[in-house]
Structure formats: structure tokens, C-alpha cells
Amino acid sequence: RELADRMLALMHDADGIGLAATQVGIVRRFFVCAIEGEDTVIVNSRFAKTGRKMEIDEEGCLSLQGVLVPVERHVSVTVAGKDETGADVRFELEGFPARACQHEIDHLDGVLILDRTPDEARRRALAILRPKPVLDARLVAYRGNARRVPSVTGLVVPEPATSREQSEREILGRI
């Protein structure tokens, strides 16, 4: 129960509506969420039933801050599992709560919203998530002349010689 309480606190602190154990490095099959305004713990969750109707809506994720992507989900699901005391639980959910539980169960199955979104939306999301290289200029002495060279890594890579002979002359000239 202590672990579930800590996860619920994390979820609320992050203004989330669900949090899977795997998101915080706990290799156990449970998640916490708010169902109809009530904090809920579901252990060993599974879909007892899924509705036929599907709907696409934007989803975000506490693990992927700043990203919203379209994801297709079942409009209604029945989720079965155990609560934190080991008692059987069953939730018949529609709309947003159904979507949230599907999202958290995906985490437990190793699936992210990026795995369920169209390619173009995935590319846009990855562009947001990737660190942006910061180009800086380093003053480099090269061939006796000072010049500015853009560097992503901060390492200076000299320009390749225009010919093998030129490269050999430069090397021999330094000896």
C-alpha cells in the first residue's frame, strides 16, 4: 500500500491522471489512476471486454513531457484486476476513463503513445523530445590562420585536405 500511495502522490504532483509502475522503474504489473475522481490502484490488470467503437483523440504522457499525439482507442472497456488488498475489481469504463486505463495498461505492456500514433505525428513528437544541438563557434588555429568553426560537440574537426599531396606537404612541413 505504501508504494501505491507514493505513486498516487507522484501522479498528483505531476497533475497526471494515471501512472504505471513501469514509468517509475518498478517492474510490477500495476498502475494508479483517478477513476471518476477517486484514486484507484489496479494490480494485474487485463481487459475483460473492449467495445467495438474506436475513437481518435490527442493524448499526452507524464513520460513524454510536452508531447500530444493522436491515438486511436476503444471508447469503452471493462478492466479487471485486483486492488491493493488483493480483492477482485472490475471497472466498466467509457470515454476518458477508458482511454486513461488503456494508456496505463499500454505502459505495463511496454507500449508508448508514440507506438500508437501515425508516422507524421511520431516524427513531430520526436522532434520535440530530441535535445536541440547548440551550435557554437570555436576559434581554431588551422594552417596558421585563425578562423571560426561551428561545432556541435565542442570538438574541433579539421577540414579534410583537398588532396593527398597537400596533406603530405603539410605534415612534412611540420617535421
Side-chain angles (χ1 to χ4, degrees):
R1 179 63 202 180
E2 181 181 324
L3 182 56
D5 287 340
R6 287 178 36 216
M7 285 184 53
L8 285 164
L10 280 170
M11 179 188 80
H12 289 296
D13 287 348
D15 290 326
I17 51 123
L19 186 65
T22 52
Q23 285 180 275
V24 292
I26 299 165
V27 188
R28 294 191 183 158
R29 190 170 176 82
F30 79 96
F31 67 93
V32 298
C33 64
I35 297 178
E36 297 173 5
E38 196 166 318
D39 287 346
T40 306
V41 178
I42 305 176
V43 180
N44 291 332
S45 58
R46 63 180 175 78
F47 294 113
K49 182 179 171 186
T50 56
R52 290 186 190 163
K53 186 177 177 189
M54 304 286 284
E55 189 172 84
I56 297 173
D57 202 355
E58 296 280 311
E59 282 188 31
C61 181
L62 294 177
S63 297
L64 305 170
Q65 292 291 315
V67 169
L68 286 174
V69 295
V71 177
E72 185 176 38
R73 300 268 188 206
H74 295 277
V75 173
S76 63
V77 295
T78 301
V79 176
K82 306 267 185 195
D83 68 10
E84 67 273 16
T85 68
D88 289 334
V89 293
R90 187 178 180 94
F91 298 94
E92 293 181 13
L93 305 167
E94 287 190 23
F96 191 73
R99 178 172 290 275
C101 284
Q102 290 171 81
H103 178 108
E104 298 310 326
I105 291 172
D106 270 357
H107 277 297
L108 299 176
D109 293 335
V111 177
L112 295 174
I113 56 176
L114 297 180
D115 300 317
R116 293 199 180 272
T117 197
D119 290 341
E120 183 55 36
R122 182 180 308 107
R123 280 191 285 279
R124 284 191 309 270
L126 289 173
I128 292 168
L129 294 170
R130 283 191 189 110
K132 306 287 184 271
V134 177
L135 294 178
D136 61 342
R138 306 276 181 196
L139 189 60
V140 179
Y142 184 68
R143 295 187 193 154
N145 298 319
R147 64 186 184 87
R148 296 187 81 71
V149 176
S151 170
V152 174
T153 63
L155 300 174
V156 176
V157 179
E159 293 176 348
T162 55
S163 70
R164 181 177 177 183
E165 294 80 24
Q166 180 183 355
S167 177
E168 289 173 353
R169 281 195 303 271
E170 288 178 3
I171 293 169
L172 291 174
R174 293 184 196 144
I175 299 178

